[in-house]
């Protein structure tokens, strides 16, 4: 009977592990499949296309060229390798200023004909129009080739403008760099303080002080991130603004300080456990040889626990990289290339939480956000694997 119960329990645990693994694998596959679909999407907004006169020899435009044209940076076809002529931009709404309502016929039956007339009369036109109103073949215009979104467009572009027309811009580089900048500075701030507190709790504090401080520090890890964010917005942001005489206090530095505070409980807890695992015999041997308490700490205890301390650092980074709400509230949420700690930035988690609820399912914007999630997944996966490797090294060292 006892063996039967053990078999049932063993089967239950095995089934739970299999289900958990399968669900995790399916979520991961869904995440990457949704994101990778972005590279099959057209550059121009879905359902629309760019059209030029048949006399125009420019038959293809890149994302950068489209942006330059519609931003007014490029105004002549000659700048793109074509014939001399001022580029005339035309959108579907412009047609209603050229014709009376009744000229389009019933249910806009004559709208395609009117659009063709406009393009035929404008050799230098660049028309951004819905495909459903354009003929597949015409003697007066043709569709400009724009291709699909490429890896370079996503990973190397510096502009994140998902609502831009006619070509949305999904440059993830500012978001990736913003995430790495805020997380890196946060861990630089949290590491010395966290290790200092861990050494104090493990080696110097009395038992009474340790019993009070240890639970209090671990309690900080349970505070919701939105509470940290609200505190940062009300207290930290004005303080940073006044201290550094900045126009706004929502900066990368503010986000780093807040993330450092949030990462401290993790760093302190893991580091203190690693230091406490140093055998008493090692400490006593060092003291017996004439070393002082401080010499024992930094020449014996810390080197012995270095794998555990490294794990504390890695886990602290993981806490900082994946944070969402607090960072969203205090960094300014500006998707620009970070050039200074005292400028607004935007991180990957903040971008996802701010935009995902407002995008149509299956759109290129939706796919781009899933691809950002894939990047964040890879970041956290690397951090988790690093922590596991470090923890195993520490375990082998103890054995």
């Amino acid at each position: 009977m006892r063996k039967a119960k053990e078999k049932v329990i063993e089967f239950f645990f095995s089934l739970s592990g299999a289900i958990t693994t399968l669900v995790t694998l399916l979520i991961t596959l869904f995440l990457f499949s949704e994101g990778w679909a972005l590279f099959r999407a057209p550059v121009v907004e879905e359902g629309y296309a760019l059209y030029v006169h048949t006399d125009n020899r420019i038959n293809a435009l890149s994302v950068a060229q489209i942006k330059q044209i519609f931003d007014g940076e490029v105004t002549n076809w000659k700048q793109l390798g074509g014939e001399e002529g001022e580029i005339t931009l035309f959108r579907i709404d412009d047609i209603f200023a050229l014709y009376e309502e009744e000229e389009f016929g019933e249910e806009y039956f004559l709208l395609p004909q009117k659009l063709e007339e406009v393009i035929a009369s404008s050799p230098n036109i660049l028309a951004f129009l819905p495909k459903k109103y354009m003929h597949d073949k015409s003697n007066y215009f043709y569709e400009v080739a724009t291709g699909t979104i490429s890896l370079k467009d996503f990973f190397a572009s510096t502009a994140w403008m998902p609502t831009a027309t006619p070509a949305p811009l999904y440059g993830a580089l500012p978001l990736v760099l913003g995430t790495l900048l805020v997380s890196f500075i946060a861990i630089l701030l949290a590491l010395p303080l966290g290790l200092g507190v861990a050494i104090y709790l493990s080696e110097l504090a009395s038992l009474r002080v340790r019993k009070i401080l240890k639970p209090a520090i671990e309690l900080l890890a349970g505070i919701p991130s939105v509470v940290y964010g609200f505190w940062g917005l009300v207290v930290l942001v004005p303080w940073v603004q006044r201290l550094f005489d900045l126009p706004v206090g929502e900066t990368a530095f503010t986000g780093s300080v807040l993330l450092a505070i949030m990462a401290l409980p993790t760093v302190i807890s893991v580091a203190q456990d690693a230091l406490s695992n140093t055998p008493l015999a090692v400490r006593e041997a060092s003291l017996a040889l004439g070393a002082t308490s401080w010499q024992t700490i930094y020449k014996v205890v810390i080197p012995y626990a270095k794998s555990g301390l490294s794990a504390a650092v890695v886990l602290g980074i993981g806490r900082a990289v994946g944070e969402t709400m607090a960072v969203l509230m205090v960094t300014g949420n500006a998707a620009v290339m970070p050039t200074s700690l005292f400028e607004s930035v935007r991180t990957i988690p903040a971008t996802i939480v701010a935009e995902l609820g407002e995008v149509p399912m299956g759109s290129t914007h939706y796919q781009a956000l899933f691809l950002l999630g894939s990047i964040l997944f890879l970041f956290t996966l690397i951090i988790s694997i690093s922590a596991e490797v470090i923890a195993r090294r520490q375990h082998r060292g103890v054995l």
Side-chain angles (χ1 to χ4, degrees):
M1 185 67 178
R2 185 175 180 181
K3 288 185 177 180
K5 288 182 179 179
E6 291 177 354
K7 289 289 184 182
V8 171
I9 294 173
E10 182 181 347
F11 173 77
F12 175 75
F13 286 142
S14 299
L15 182 63
S16 300
I19 292 174
T20 302
T21 303
L22 180 61
V23 170
T24 304
L25 180 61
L26 291 176
I27 291 174
T28 304
L29 290 175
F30 174 76
L31 179 67
F32 279 91
S33 63
E34 288 290 319
W36 204 255
L38 177 70
F39 300 118
R40 298 192 298 270
V43 165
V44 176
E45 186 178 342
E46 191 172 356
Y48 287 76
L50 295 174
Y51 299 92
V52 295
H53 196 278
T54 49
D55 292 341
N56 194 329
R57 68 183 187 185
I58 300 296
N59 54 20
L61 291 172
S62 66
V63 179
Q65 290 172 330
I66 295 172
K67 181 179 183 298
Q68 289 172 339
I69 293 172
F70 281 83
D71 284 350
E73 298 173 12
V74 172
T75 58
N76 197 295
W77 288 113
K78 192 173 183 179
Q79 295 174 263
L80 302 173
E83 299 291 338
E84 176 72 29
E86 289 290 321
I87 299 174
T88 303
L89 296 179
F90 185 82
R91 295 177 174 85
I92 185 66
D93 292 340
D94 297 334
I95 193 71
F96 300 104
L98 302 176
Y99 296 93
E100 297 295 331
E101 187 77 19
E102 56 271 12
E103 293 183 73
F104 296 111
E106 236 179 273
E107 297 182 352
Y108 293 95
F109 179 75
L110 297 177
L111 179 58
Q113 178 184 329
K114 299 302 181 184
L115 291 172
E116 187 174 46
E117 290 177 5
V118 171
I119 297 175
S121 62
S122 305
N124 294 320
I125 197 170
L126 178 62
F128 173 55
L129 302 170
K131 289 184 177 182
K132 64 180 181 179
Y133 295 131
M134 307 305 292
H135 302 301
D136 293 334
K137 293 182 179 181
S138 172
N139 296 324
Y140 302 103
F141 65 82
Y142 63 89
E143 181 181 339
V144 178
T146 54
T148 57
I149 298 173
S150 66
L151 290 169
K152 182 180 178 181
D153 294 334
F154 185 80
F155 290 104
S157 176
T158 60
W160 178 266
M161 300 174 64
T163 58
T165 56
L169 302 174
Y170 301 111
L173 191 58
L175 309 180
V176 173
L177 294 180
T179 302
L180 295 177
L181 174 65
V182 172
S183 302
F184 180 71
I185 300 301
I187 205 62
L188 285 184
L189 296 174
L191 181 58
L193 183 58
L195 293 182
V197 175
I199 292 171
Y200 171 75
L201 288 176
S202 175
E203 308 297 322
L204 305 174
S206 64
L207 182 61
R208 182 180 178 183
V209 172
R210 191 180 299 122
K211 285 183 177 180
I212 295 173
L213 286 183
K214 186 72 183 296
I217 291 171
E218 291 178 346
L219 184 64
L220 294 175
I223 298 176
S225 62
V226 69
V227 175
Y228 277 108
F230 182 72
W231 174 82
L233 192 62
V234 174
V235 177
L236 195 57
V237 167
W239 178 77
V240 170
Q241 184 177 4
R242 289 194 302 268
L243 181 64
F244 297 101
D245 192 25
L246 302 173
V248 292
E250 291 91 347
T251 64
F253 178 76
T254 311
S256 297
V257 172
L258 187 60
L259 280 183
I261 295 172
M262 297 176 68
L264 273 175
T266 301
V267 176
I268 293 172
S269 182
V270 177
Q272 195 259 332
D273 290 340
L275 293 169
S276 299
N277 285 335
T278 303
L280 183 60
V282 175
R283 290 185 172 88
E284 291 176 343
S286 175
L287 294 172
L289 290 172
T292 65
S293 296
W294 278 109
Q295 288 174 328
T296 300
I297 290 172
Y298 70 80
K299 287 189 176 182
V300 176
V301 177
I302 291 178
Y304 186 90
K306 62 182 180 180
S307 294
L309 299 180
S310 301
V313 174
V314 171
L315 292 174
I317 295 173
R319 178 77 168 93
V321 168
E323 185 50 53
T324 303
M325 287 307 301
V327 178
L328 178 67
M329 297 171 74
V330 301
T331 56
N333 204 29
V336 295
M337 289 291 290
T339 57
S340 167
L341 272 176
F342 301 103
E343 293 180 354
S344 297
V345 296
R346 181 188 284 189
T347 63
I348 291 176
T351 302
I352 294 173
V353 75
E355 298 181 6
L356 188 58
E358 301 176 0
V359 301
M361 185 175 293
S363 65
T364 54
H365 191 182
Y366 175 88
Q367 294 163 350
L369 292 177
F370 267 87
L371 197 56
L372 288 178
S374 302
I375 296 173
L376 192 62
F377 174 83
L378 291 176
F379 282 169
T380 54
L381 180 64
I382 292 170
I383 292 169
S384 298
I385 293 174
S386 302
E388 182 67 22
V389 170
I390 291 170
R392 288 185 178 180
R393 284 178 55 195
Q394 181 189 25
H395 181 68
R396 287 197 297 268
V398 172
L399 293 178

